[in-house]
Amino acid sequence: MALRRPEAVPGIGDADVERTADFIAACQSADGSIPWVDGHVDPWNHIEAAMALMVGGRRHEAERAFRWLARRQRADGSWCLSYRAGRPDDHGVDANFCAYLAAGLRHHALVGGDDALLAELWPVLERGIGVALALQRPAGEVVWARHCDGRPHDFALLTSSACIHLSLRKALECATALGVERPAWEAAADRLAAAVAHRPELFRPKDEFSMDWYYPVLGGCVAGAQARVRLAERWETFVIGGAGCRCVADRPWITAAETCELALALDAVGRRDAAVRLFNAVQDMRGEAGGYWTGTVLPESCPWPPEQPAWTAAAVVLAADALLDLTPAAGFFRSLHEEDESGLLEATPA
């Protein structure tokens, strides 16, 4: 797959996507897994890295990553929280991790232009969605995880539920592509969107983290005017001038992944100029090999922690695709906001 190469994109600075994809490929282990710097692999970041490999034209490596994950799905449809050297490292189950394969496979199909891998791994996707939905409560929120003995945790997390909503919508797109109907998934996604958008009391407060601010928008639960208002309300709390987005409200720590995810959320709701400025800001965090530092501490502009994870590079690549229109998946997040603004995601539930 060759990347589209627009002659000029006003305002976008240098973003060497293929080099960054090469960096992610260099992080990939021989078995297909894509670990953190310390050697452990978690399913969510592994999938995100595989998506970025597709954007960068590394289809073979991306498919090795997806099949590595498929081989490690347990009989009940779940994955471990983490793996090390191919073996389970933490046996707990994260609902968001289990649902995210749907997003990864939909993205793969869009970039690759065919549904072959999606069809191959559809049973894996379906079982993973089942794990997440088994943790959904009647009010719509999804309990974030379950213990090793199968007991669910006693609370839901806003960011997790918002991302699960994204995965459910992408799972429905996958089902449509394969000619399969899953009305229960659609009903679950509608309940989840309403919970995230209108019932903050259902979630454990994590207001100090920027992800709880922008993920309801990025995940497609808050749309249109409400989305733009939400992003404006805490802009001064989390965004530092031209430097980027804080990870935590009270710390002068700008992180590349959060900055690029915020850029994706802004682009999805039509605030392209702000998205471009944030994307350009993280280019100062790029290393010589094409990776990106996790973050920068201000005012010293000191990288911290001193590592360049594959998943951080992946977030940059996905943002680059959205802003540079590099692949057919450039509108992957925007598509969640294409419904009529008077529709369900804007409505106040009864």
Side-chain angles (χ1 to χ4, degrees), residues 28 50 53-54 58-66 108:
Q28 189 171 35
L53 287 170
M54 283 297 293
R58 292 281 201 153
R59 179 170 184 154
H60 173 70
E61 290 85 348
E63 293 184 351
R64 287 178 59 229
F66 283 117
H108 176 279

Side-chain angles (χ1 to χ4, degrees), residues 6 67 85 113 119 135 138 171 185 209 212 221-222 283 328:
R67 291 188 175 106
L135 291 168
W185 292 3
F209 292 97
D212 265 25
C221 300
V222 180
Q283 302 313 311

Side-chain angles (χ1 to χ4, degrees), residues 5 24-25 53 67 93 97 99 109 131 153 214 230 234 242 271 304 321 347:
R5 292 191 178 281
I24 296 170
L53 287 170
R67 291 188 175 106
V93 174
F97 289 8
V131 172
H153 282 258
Y214 65 74
R230 182 183 183 92
R234 304 199 71 194
R271 292 197 56 200
W304 189 86
D321 189 18

Side-chain angles (χ1 to χ4, degrees), residues 130-193:
V131 172
L133 292 186
L135 291 168
Q136 187 172 34
R137 290 173 168 172
E141 78 277 25
V142 178
V143 174
W144 81 276
R146 71 183 196 215
H147 297 281
C148 296
D149 62 7
R151 291 179 299 111
H153 282 258
D154 60 358
F155 61 91
L157 296 174
L158 190 65
T159 294
S160 173
S161 281
C163 191
I164 290 169
H165 175 264
L166 180 153
S167 295
L168 282 170
R169 296 296 181 194
K170 298 304 176 181
L172 286 164
E173 293 178 19
C174 290
T176 298
L178 296 179
V180 177
E181 293 184 0
R182 288 294 179 269
W185 292 3
E186 186 162 13
D190 290 346
R191 293 198 309 275
L192 182 52

Side-chain angles (χ1 to χ4, degrees), residues 60-76:
H60 173 70
E61 290 85 348
E63 293 184 351
R64 287 178 59 229
F66 283 117
R67 291 188 175 106
W68 178 90
L69 191 66
R71 291 194 300 272
R72 278 153 185 82
Q73 188 178 47
R74 295 184 283 201
D76 67 354

Side-chain angles (χ1 to χ4, degrees), residues 51 100 166 170 218 264 268 318 329-337:
M51 292 163 69
Y100 202 54
L166 180 153
K170 298 304 176 181
L218 184 62
L264 285 166
L318 294 181
F332 189 75
F333 297 94
R334 286 194 300 272
S335 67
L336 296 170
H337 295 262

